[in-house]
Structures are given as structure tokens and as C-alpha cells.
Amino acid sequence: MASPSSTRLDLDGNPIKPLTICMIGAGGFIGSHLCEKLMSETSHKVLALDVYSDKIKHLLEPESLPWNGRIHFHRLNIKNDSRLEGLIKMADL
């Protein structure tokens, strides 16, 4: 498992710059596990979007965790929330 502080390299040997990732469905089974991996193994930032945050609550609350400030949860329903487009535009991926 790579440390978030270690420099990750792409296939050409160039450093991978941290991305801002918009994770729609971050509170679900797959999304919550992907958020955990991103926080523990990369230096990427995550805009976590979902109706519920129960499964990623442990990633959001403790301010002493090494990824503090890299994950931001937005409670919204993607079917009828005007903020969705703006959050997607803020992200690299």
C-alpha cells in the first residue's frame, strides 16, 4: 500500500499530480470503498456526493486524520439539485 505522501508515477515515470474527483454515489457500497482507497492511498481530493453519508462518516468527522481537508461531502439528490453541474465543473475527474 502506497503512502499518500510518496510520489506516485505514471507509466512514463512522471509524477501524478493530485486530482479533484467528483464521486457521485460516494455514500453507496462501491463509492464508499473507493473513497476509502483514495483517501488512504493517494493525495487526490474528493467531492463526495450522495443523499446519505453513513458509510463514509468515518472519513469525514475526525479532523486528526491524514486526509483532513481532502474529502468534502455534499448531501444532494442528483435528480433535482441545481448544484450538481457546478460541483462536476469544479472537478478534474
Side-chain angles (χ1 to χ4, degrees):
M1 185 175 346
S3 156
S5 60
S6 67
T7 304
R8 296 174 64 100
L9 304 175
D10 66 15
L11 295 175
D12 295 322
N14 301 316
I16 298 173
K17 295 180 183 175
L19 299 173
T20 299
I21 300 168
C22 183
M23 176 78 60
I24 299 172
F29 181 79
I30 294 171
S32 64
H33 285 86
L34 185 53
C35 283
E36 286 180 6
K37 290 293 259 185
L38 287 168
M39 291 299 101
S40 65
E41 296 183 16
T42 74
S43 57
H44 300 309
K45 295 179 182 178
V46 174
L47 300 174
L49 285 66
D50 210 322
V51 179
Y52 303 106
S53 63
D54 299 349
K55 291 182 180 154
I56 59 170
K57 199 174 204 174
H58 64 286
L59 299 175
L60 303 171
E61 290 180 350
E63 293 181 8
S64 62
L65 294 172
W67 53 77
N68 183 34
R70 289 188 18 236
I71 184 167
H72 302 281
F73 180 73
H74 299 270
R75 183 177 314 278
L76 57 88
N77 183 336
I78 64 169
K79 292 181 184 177
N80 56 10
D81 198 309
S82 60
R83 297 176 294 163
L84 179 62
E85 187 176 345
L87 290 166
I88 292 172
K89 286 181 179 179
M90 289 172 51
D92 300 311
L93 178 67

